[in-house]
Amino acid sequence: MLFRSFETITHELNQFELECVEYLGQWFMANKGKQHTLKNADIAMMAEKRFGKKLIDSRVRKIVQFLRTNGLPNLIATSNGYFYTEELKDIENWIISLKQREAAIRTIREKAERHLEIMKIRKYASNQIEMF
């Protein structure tokens, strides 16, 4: 999925990144739990060692999102990094965090939409005054 204004970093996965998906999916399944937490830099370093190519942070996030939506929904993120878990408490806490971030994003979107409407009204009013 491409995101407007972020097309250069949200494009679909390329062949190298799909190879990283397979490799990392297998790694996370074999190394479950918080003790196997990986930061973006760790994932990028693993990919570079394995495939000889670099990954930037935004593409690591894209790979993680792909893994989550295609078989590893319990690949969770914390401030310490990513790890795969089957512990209910870890998953519950992650879902709470997702909901909190979702609410924060919704709040700023709603504020931006209201501000845009005010700006449109002001611009319309200004144009009407100029016409007379």
Side-chain angles (χ1 to χ4, degrees):
M1 170 184 295
L2 293 176
F3 293 114
R4 185 175 291 187
S5 301
F6 293 91
E7 293 87 355
T8 60
I9 59 174
T10 60
H11 59 82
E12 296 304 316
L13 297 175
N14 60 37
Q15 186 59 41
F16 159 58
E17 293 162 342
L18 289 170
E19 291 171 7
C20 290
V21 163
E22 185 174 338
Y23 172 62
L24 291 168
Q26 291 172 1
W27 190 92
F28 278 112
M29 288 301 296
N31 296 279
K32 297 175 183 171
K34 287 181 188 177
Q35 67 273 23
H36 299 291
T37 299
L38 296 176
K39 292 188 175 292
N40 277 18
D42 299 324
I43 293 172
M45 186 173 31
M46 287 171 66
E48 187 171 3
K49 281 183 181 178
R50 174 76 181 227
F51 301 106
K53 297 180 182 177
K54 293 185 183 286
L55 281 175
I56 60 172
D57 280 354
S58 60
R59 300 312 290 168
V60 170
R61 291 189 299 274
K62 182 80 172 184
I63 289 168
V64 168
Q65 182 64 11
F66 186 91
L67 284 166
R68 287 174 174 157
T69 57
N70 292 280
L72 290 180
N74 301 347
L75 179 55
I76 69 173
T78 68
S79 59
N80 294 320
Y82 301 104
F83 66 94
Y84 183 82
T85 185
E86 293 178 355
E87 296 294 324
L88 297 179
K89 194 63 176 168
D90 290 335
I91 298 166
E92 288 168 349
N93 286 336
W94 180 56
I95 290 170
I96 290 168
S97 174
L98 288 171
K99 288 179 178 180
Q100 290 169 336
R101 288 183 279 155
E102 180 182 28
I105 290 170
R106 183 180 51 253
T107 296
I108 193 62
R109 178 191 48 82
E110 290 169 350
K111 288 183 184 291
E113 288 171 338
R114 284 192 298 274
H115 185 68
L116 178 61
E117 287 305 312
I118 291 168
M119 291 175 69
K120 286 179 179 179
I121 291 167
R122 287 180 181 157
K123 183 164 180 67
Y124 176 78
S126 174
N127 288 342
Q128 292 299 314
I129 292 170
E130 289 177 7
M131 290 174 57
F132 294 105

